[in-house]
Amino acid sequence: MPTFYEFFAGGGMVRAGLGRNWRCLFANDVDLKKGATYTANWGVKHLHIGDVAKLGIGNLPAQADLAWASFPCQDLSLAGAGAGLEGDRSGTFWPFWDLMRQLGKEGRAPRMVVLENVCGALTSHGGKDFAAISSALTGSGYRFGAVIIDAVNFLPHSRPRLFIIGVAPENPIPKELTSEGPTQPWHTDGLMQAYGALSGRAKAKWIWWQFPQPLPRSQNFVDIIEDKPKGVKWHTAAETKQLLAMMSAVNIAKVKKAQQNGGRVIGAVYKRTRTNDAGEKVQRAEVRFDDVAGCLRTPAGGSSRQSILVIEGKKVRSRLLSPREAARLMGLPDDYILPQKYNEAYHIAGDGVAVPVVRFLAANLLERLLLVWKEELAAA
């Protein structure tokens, strides 16, 4: 059974995606509330709550096949303050990587490493942060490559994310898992530009990972919406009217078109700050009716909480997305235990990794690599 360390574990969505055929050796997060959710779903046996910078390799048992780190994105996000890997939050990558280096000195380096973050990590500090991560990997001997995977391929949820996958030098990589150059949709223009700016040393260790095309998505946004939601209340008629009043003419036109449909139509709504014709910054409500939700975020203020519009002819109702609906957008099963408080539950979902994306990576790369290595070891 393959083994893993799960850093910045949150509610354990990586663990959910890897599945029961993987064994967790160690999990870590600094947040007590996230730790409580992790414990509720996975138990406390392998969980360590605390600052990653205060961990030592004595905390990490054995040698893991995989170390997964979904390190904080706030300083790398296009919506952040631009501190990058020098920031207090995204900068926690460095103490994590110091642990990986120390494990390497002991001969216990993980055979594979997966780093997950927002796509803004490619351009943060003019690409210097991505180059620094690449140098960290190559400096420890890892061969690596990166892909962009959007959760919308598997879920009704627009969530493109960067995945950097590294393999320790002593482990062979089958040719069928790689390509000679970039392939769509995994290697976007932005990723190729970031690759082009890497050092010659990093490019020499680069791998163009190859993945099969995902099967057509079978689920739409309407499919995850609860008829009788828990944890949220429907807006009053006045609150719905106020939400509609925050829409631009373009978005009001979308609502009117949905009303003309005659049936039940559900749209996803976000509040965003936009500049109006007078050059003033105003808060706008923007709706989409393409059967896909906008990217979930953590609820750092009411504007980042997603709402829904339910339109049935002339009738228009609105409310916040429920905690369970948010969890479903991340691919979590309905028996996943969520916090009781709305913001805490929404935070768990908005700060996580889409479960089917983890499964896709595991099934089409990580587990295939491990199988090859196991066969080679048996033949030796």
Side-chain angles (χ1 to χ4, degrees):
M1 179 178 289
T3 57
F4 67 99
Y5 304 141
E6 185 179 10
F7 288 87
F8 313 101
M13 294 186 200
V14 171
R15 187 167 181 166
L18 290 175
R20 295 180 180 178
N21 290 331
W22 287 72
R23 181 164 61 92
C24 180
L25 296 178
F26 177 83
N28 168 251
D29 202 285
V30 71
D31 190 290
L32 287 171
K33 292 176 180 178
K34 291 179 184 177
T37 301
Y38 192 101
T39 299
N41 286 280
W42 311 109
V44 73
K45 183 178 178 181
H46 303 293
L47 180 65
H48 180 98
I49 299 294
D51 188 343
V52 66
K54 295 181 180 179
L55 293 173
I57 57 173
N59 296 110
L60 304 175
Q63 180 181 15
D65 292 306
L66 168 67
W68 185 297
S70 292
F71 60 102
C73 68
Q74 291 92 336
D75 299 312
L76 297 167
S77 170
L78 296 178
L85 291 180
E86 296 176 1
D88 292 338
R89 292 167 292 186
S90 298
T92 51
F93 167 78
W94 294 116
F96 156 73
W97 194 253
D98 188 54
L99 288 171
M100 299 302 102
R101 283 196 295 252
Q102 291 181 54
L103 287 173
K105 291 177 182 178
E106 276 199 358
R108 294 199 289 133
R111 305 175 83 178
M112 299 178 291
V113 175
V114 176
L115 309 174
E116 180 262 346
N117 214 285
V118 294
C119 298
L122 294 170
T123 54
S124 175
H125 283 174
K128 291 180 180 178
D129 288 331
F130 181 66
I133 293 170
S134 300
S135 294
L137 284 157
T138 57
S140 294
Y142 283 89
R143 292 163 292 165
F144 75 104
V147 292
I148 303 292
I149 303 180
D150 194 335
V152 78
N153 289 301
F154 313 93
L155 298 162
H157 178 195
S158 175
R159 195 179 186 84
R161 286 296 185 266
L162 170 70
F163 296 86
I164 304 171
I165 305 109
V167 175
E170 66 274 13
N171 298 296
I173 300 173
K175 287 185 177 180
E176 61 266 23
L177 299 182
T178 68
S179 62
E180 293 296 322
T183 55
Q184 294 294 331
W186 319 115
H187 305 113
T188 62
D189 290 344
L191 176 54
M192 287 187 282
Q193 289 175 10
Y195 163 78
L198 293 180
S199 68
R201 181 185 180 190
K203 287 180 179 177
K205 294 290 186 81
W206 181 270
I207 301 164
W208 293 108
W209 295 116
Q210 181 164 273
F211 289 92
Q213 293 297 313
L215 297 173
R217 174 167 52 86
S218 60
Q219 189 182 51
N220 288 321
F221 185 51
V222 66
D223 299 322
I224 65 100
I225 298 301
E226 298 177 294
D227 290 328
K228 297 179 180 179
K230 295 180 180 179
V232 291
K233 294 181 179 179
W234 288 97
H235 290 159
T236 64
E239 289 170 329
T240 298
K241 185 177 181 180
Q242 183 181 16
L243 185 66
L244 293 171
M246 294 173 66
M247 292 185 180
S248 66
V250 170
N251 283 275
I252 286 294
K254 292 180 185 178
V255 174
K256 290 181 177 179
K257 184 177 180 181
Q259 288 179 306
Q260 293 169 2
N261 180 277
R264 186 170 184 254
V265 181
I266 297 179
V269 182
Y270 257 132
K271 294 177 183 177
R272 304 183 189 277
T273 300
R274 301 296 189 193
T275 302
N276 64 14
D277 293 339
E280 302 166 329
K281 290 187 176 181
V282 295
Q283 194 175 49
R284 291 292 195 189
E286 299 180 355
V287 64
R288 58 191 296 174
F289 291 105
D290 58 353
D291 283 326
V292 173
C295 186
L296 287 179
R297 311 170 193 167
T298 56
S303 63
S304 62
R305 295 181 299 175
Q306 199 161 174
S307 299
I308 66 168
L309 279 185
V310 178
I311 297 176
E312 295 171 293
K314 297 285 186 180
K315 186 177 180 182
V316 180
R317 294 186 296 161
S318 65
R319 62 169 171 84
L320 288 173
L321 193 72
S322 79
R324 182 56 61 192
E325 289 162 347
R328 288 172 181 168
L329 285 177
M330 295 300 293
L332 287 165
D334 282 355
D335 60 359
Y336 181 88
I337 301 169
L338 291 167
Q340 292 298 311
K341 293 183 178 179
Y342 180 91
N343 273 10
E344 291 178 15
Y346 200 101
H347 193 102
I348 284 288
D351 206 30
V353 189
V355 173
V357 175
V358 178
R359 177 89 304 266
F360 180 79
L361 272 170
N364 292 287
L365 181 60
L366 309 181
E367 290 166 3
R368 292 182 66 183
L369 285 169
L370 287 170
L371 181 61
V372 169
W373 301 338
K374 181 180 179 180
E375 290 173 347
E376 283 214 350
L377 186 63

